[in-house]
Amino acid sequence: MKNSAIVVVDELYDFIDGSLACQGADDCVKNSAALLEKAAVPVLFICDHHPANHSSFAEQGGPWPPHCVQGTRGGEIAEPLRPFVEDSLCFYKGTDPAKEQYSGFEGVNEAGQTLDEVLQLLDIKEVTVIGIATEYCVRNTAEDLLKAGYKVTVKEDCLAWVDAAGHREAIAAMKAEGIRFA
Ligand code: VGL
Ligand code: ZN
């Protein structure tokens, strides 16, 4: 559909079968690949992309095990989604050791452009958000898209989560804010 795009959040190996493996990740990847297969719209990928000394890691006093370290398999996009990847539409976040960045809005692509800038250049008005984890990066990205004026739909069978209760609470909160679910 014209003016629509899909944003794929952090479908990266550490969130699938690695140090931060999330519940529902296998179905999330399978359903995401099927969605992208039949979608004839731009697909933008958000990638958590941390330096080895990132402040969100437990050794630095943060809440998470090391994950999505630059140059490791854990930070790579899941293989079934690779046919849909375009380098200029990949946005990297969490690259500054000092900053936690859950939202795809804080990332930049290889040319230094933000997600919002590229969506505007593509004349996108409606965004479907899918990916991992519901209660962190998916929620923060969907909320920032909504605040920026996009019509936002989250596809519920294309999500994975850290905690089941957190997943359900995040969905309820997003619905209350005006994010649609399909
Ligand atoms: C995420 C925890 C740490 C996410 C990223 O993608 O939801 N969660 N870094
Ligand atoms: Zn992270």
Side-chain angles (χ1 to χ4, degrees):
M1 272 167 297
K2 206 170 168 291
N3 307 125
S4 314
I6 299 175
V7 171
V8 181
V9 178
D10 287 356
E11 294 201 28
L12 311 171
Y13 281 116
D14 270 335
F15 295 118
I16 296 163
D17 62 11
S19 60
L20 251 170
C22 285
Q23 298 176 51
D26 288 341
D27 284 341
C28 169
V29 172
K30 186 158 53 84
N31 295 337
S32 297
L35 178 74
L36 299 185
E37 202 85 55
K38 59 183 199 318
V41 301
V43 183
L44 302 94
F45 286 83
I46 307 299
C47 300
D48 218 27
H49 197 63
H50 296 308
N53 65 344
H54 194 257
S55 57
S56 75
F57 297 170
E59 304 96 285
Q60 335 292 330
W64 305 113
H67 62 277
C68 302
V69 173
Q70 295 164 13
T72 67
R73 173 184 178 275
E76 287 176 12
I77 295 171
E79 204 275 330
L81 309 182
R82 299 257 176 83
F84 311 101
V85 174
E86 272 189 58
D87 290 342
S88 65
L89 298 183
C90 292
F91 298 83
Y92 299 93
K93 62 181 174 62
T95 56
D96 180 337
K99 285 192 197 140
E100 179 60 292
Q101 295 181 319
Y102 288 139
S103 171
F105 254 52
E106 295 174 282
V108 290
N109 69 4
E110 61 192 5
Q113 296 167 304
T114 65
L115 180 67
D116 192 28
E117 282 167 352
V118 172
L119 290 172
Q120 288 188 42
L121 288 170
L122 296 171
D123 201 24
I124 302 300
K125 313 280 186 211
E126 302 191 19
V127 181
T128 296
V129 180
I130 63 176
I132 311 174
T134 312
E135 63 274 50
Y136 298 99
C137 292
V138 170
R139 179 177 181 177
N140 280 274
T141 302
E143 288 178 345
D144 278 349
L145 284 163
L146 189 74
K147 279 184 215 145
Y150 298 92
K151 178 179 164 189
V152 182
T153 303
V154 173
K155 201 135 185 319
E156 205 165 336
D157 68 348
C158 298
L159 298 175
W161 48 92
V162 174
D163 173 81
H167 166 75
R168 289 190 297 270
E169 284 161 19
I171 289 175
M174 286 189 271
K175 282 182 178 165
E177 291 160 1
I179 292 168
R180 292 150 207 248
F181 278 75

